[in-house]
Amino acid sequence: MNTPKDTAIRFLKDNSMHVDQVDPDAMLDDFLAEMDLGLAGEKSSLAMIPTFISIDKPVPVFKPVVAIDAGGTNLRVATVMFDGDGNPTISHLTMHKMPGSERELNKNEFFEKFVEFLLPFADKADAVGFCFSYPAEISPGRDGKLLAWTKEIQAPEVVGEFIGKSIFDRLEQKGYRRKFSFLNDTVAALLAGKSIDFAQEYGAYIGFILGTGTNTAYIEYNRNITKCHDLDPEGSQAINTESGNFSKCPRGPVDIEFDESTENRGQYMFEKMISGAYLGGLCLLVLKKAAEKDFFSQAGTQLVESQADLSTVEVDGILRELTRGIARGVGAMSAEDKGLVWHLCAAICERAALFAALNVSAAVLKSSGGESPRHPVCVNIDGSVYYNIKGFSRMVEGYLDKILGPKHVSYELIRVDDSPLIGAAVAGLMC
Ligand code: BGC
């Protein structure tokens, strides 16, 4: 007799969604090739955005700076100061909903929200580090022009606008002129990793985020960023890869149908297979498709079909066998049905873990560090999916070992609390 696990495997294989159907070597090669094309300015799903942020200067100490963390769901503002040993202190922390995450805002409403949140900090420091968790093209003066919204933010008029200028011009009209440095959250994670490396023991730095969205940053030699012609060839800088938009990952029909149901159809397909804004929805669609094919009992089918949504937090609840969300009714399901729900969700998360590991591996290899175990590549990882989904970080670590082990690259996975604020502070202090 087939166990729920066998049934889950059969369903996923029929739908080209099983982790065993992924060819890791081919996908890694595709990642690296897309990175090269992006650096050369050729057609690529990876934007490989130069950030004009390098890591060769020391972080100024005993100087307060305002740090903004505009994340997927929340927006936080604080002051940060590093002491003589490089330890940061975060003060005056305020937390708000990310503008546009609850309802659609027009351009003016969107920017005025930031002004409102920043005004209480007007007398706290001269410089501001602005960490922004969305794809933005960075100007040499370190402002960011929004390329597109991800994570289902609703403020369409803001696309194409310079975010920093729009906010800081408004603040200036109110009498506050401030310098600012705008950076992606993965670059902030990378800088936060660098900021704790007093002994300078790491050979290279990566910032990887897997929370509401996903992305990676690493340091690249300017001479390899061939799409930019006026960079100092001797220098290097952080690159925001925008890896959530990677388009060469193997997708099945359910992935495709799920993408069709999202705000930014056809874009950020990799992100939609692995990140917190989407994993729950993807798992629910998989359950519904399995129910359509009569993989559940009649009662199980009814329950799955009546479920309007499933969050990624609820998927974690299912994996921990807590009765929440779809799991509200899971208690009423037969043991077979419950097992099938569990195995389908677990398998989608396992595929996400392999994809995450491939993404990190591509960045580690591209960073050209880690040749000596004395100077490993520092991978600072941030994000709720990575740390909170049951077993997720362990699966990623296992896959990283399998992928990078044979390549003899040394790397170390680290976690720096409040990375977006710390990294924003580092960038703000250097502007
Ligand atoms: C955005 C990236 C961001 C990532 C992690 C993605 O949706 O496009 O810019 O770094 O989420 O927050």
Side-chain angles (χ1 to χ4, degrees):
M1 204 188 89
N2 279 341
T3 63
K5 184 173 179 188
D6 299 331
T7 312
I9 294 176
R10 178 154 62 89
F11 175 80
L12 291 167
K13 287 201 166 162
D14 286 351
N15 283 281
S16 311
M17 290 181 97
H18 194 269
V19 72
D20 290 352
Q21 293 167 302
V22 179
D23 176 345
D25 292 334
M27 195 165 148
L28 185 59
D29 286 349
D30 284 341
F31 238 118
L32 292 166
E34 288 285 284
M35 288 171 113
D36 284 338
L37 288 171
L39 288 174
E42 287 174 36
K43 195 169 174 299
S44 166
S45 58
L46 297 181
M48 305 298 282
I49 303 171
T51 63
F52 304 95
I53 288 183
S54 63
I55 52 162
D56 37 19
K57 289 192 212 112
V59 180
V61 294
F62 298 118
K63 210 177 153 210
V65 61
V66 173
I68 309 172
D69 165 21
T73 347
N74 296 316
L75 187 147
R76 302 188 307 156
V77 190
T79 48
V80 179
M81 190 162 79
F82 292 90
D83 69 15
D85 296 324
N87 297 315
T89 303
I90 298 176
S91 328
H92 313 109
L93 181 66
T94 58
M95 183 131 115
H96 316 272
K97 281 276 159 223
M98 173 66 191
S101 62
E102 293 181 305
R103 64 176 183 91
E104 183 165 327
L105 300 181
N106 67 31
K107 193 158 59 179
N108 195 47
E109 289 169 327
F110 179 84
F111 292 128
E112 281 299 331
K113 279 273 161 212
F114 279 81
V115 171
E116 177 192 324
F117 301 153
L118 278 170
L119 270 177
F121 289 83
D123 61 348
K124 302 259 185 297
D126 296 335
V128 180
F130 192 157
C131 168
F132 194 70
S133 307
Y134 303 89
E137 182 187 317
I138 307 294
S139 60
R142 303 244 205 103
D143 196 355
K145 183 160 120 190
L146 181 65
L147 294 171
W149 281 120
T150 53
K151 304 169 180 145
E152 313 287 289
I153 295 292
Q154 304 165 62
E157 286 178 20
V158 179
V159 176
E161 296 292 315
F162 276 99
I163 306 290
K165 183 171 167 32
S166 307
I167 295 166
F168 286 87
D169 277 358
R170 282 173 165 81
L171 269 172
E172 202 168 329
Q173 280 161 17
K174 297 193 188 294
Y176 298 105
R177 191 182 159 83
R178 294 290 175 266
K179 289 185 292 178
F180 63 89
S181 182
F182 188 93
L183 71 165
N184 185 259
D185 55 349
T186 51
V187 179
L190 182 154
L191 292 178
K194 165 79 186 164
S195 79
I196 60 150
D197 184 16
F198 312 119
Q200 310 234 325
E201 60 191 24
Y202 292 120
Y205 301 88
I206 308 278
F208 173 62
I209 310 245
L210 184 51
T212 313
T214 190
N215 192 11
T216 332
Y218 75 105
I219 302 288
E220 182 59 89
Y221 294 112
N222 286 346
R223 62 172 181 271
N224 293 337
I225 312 172
T226 52
K227 64 181 166 187
C228 299
H229 303 293
D230 40 10
L231 302 175
D232 168 10
E234 300 301 314
S236 58
Q237 61 179 289
I239 293 287
N240 166 12
T241 66
E242 281 301 323
S243 55
N245 195 39
F246 179 63
S247 67
K248 299 272 156 86
C249 40
R251 295 194 306 155
V254 185
D255 293 305
I256 294 168
E257 186 176 330
F258 178 65
D259 173 44
E260 304 276 301
S261 72
T262 58
E263 290 265 331
N264 55 348
R265 274 193 299 279
Q267 291 175 326
Y268 281 77
M269 289 176 291
F270 185 66
E271 176 158 289
K272 289 172 192 164
M273 297 162 95
I274 76 171
S275 83
Y278 304 101
L279 259 184
L282 180 60
C283 285
L284 183 58
L285 190 59
V286 165
L287 297 178
K288 289 194 185 235
K289 292 289 155 189
E292 261 173 33
K293 294 264 184 280
D294 291 332
F295 278 77
F296 289 102
S297 69
Q298 210 182 352
T301 301
Q302 268 172 11
L303 183 75
V304 168
E305 281 175 351
S306 66
Q307 186 82 20
D309 43 46
L310 182 69
S311 69
T312 300
V313 173
E314 287 170 323
V315 168
D316 175 58
I318 289 172
L319 299 183
R320 292 175 196 273
E321 314 225 37
L322 301 175
T323 47
R324 281 192 266 143
I326 201 172
R328 271 192 290 271
V330 158
M333 279 182 150
S334 68
E336 298 277 290
D337 284 345
K338 265 197 221 176
L340 184 53
V341 168
W342 193 96
H343 281 290
L344 286 171
C345 291
I348 294 300
C349 291
E350 173 151 14
R351 185 185 65 159
L354 170 61
F355 284 174
L358 283 162
N359 183 358
V360 172
S361 300
V364 167
L365 293 173
K366 204 80 184 82
S367 76
S368 339
E371 275 165 21
S372 151
R374 288 179 53 225
H375 300 292
V377 180
C378 167
V379 186
N380 183 19
I381 304 185
D382 196 24
S384 52
V385 168
Y386 187 82
Y387 291 110
N388 300 350
I389 299 269
K390 184 168 184 269
F392 200 92
S393 55
R394 222 167 348 102
M395 284 191 287
V396 176
E397 282 169 32
Y399 281 125
L400 278 173
D401 215 31
K402 278 197 196 137
I403 301 164
L404 291 176
K407 300 192 187 299
H408 307 291
V409 185
S410 299
Y411 59 93
E412 196 173 306
L413 308 182
I414 66 157
R415 179 180 193 175
V416 180
D417 287 338
D418 295 310
S419 279
L421 284 176
I422 306 291
V426 173
L429 285 168
M430 307 220 276
C431 65

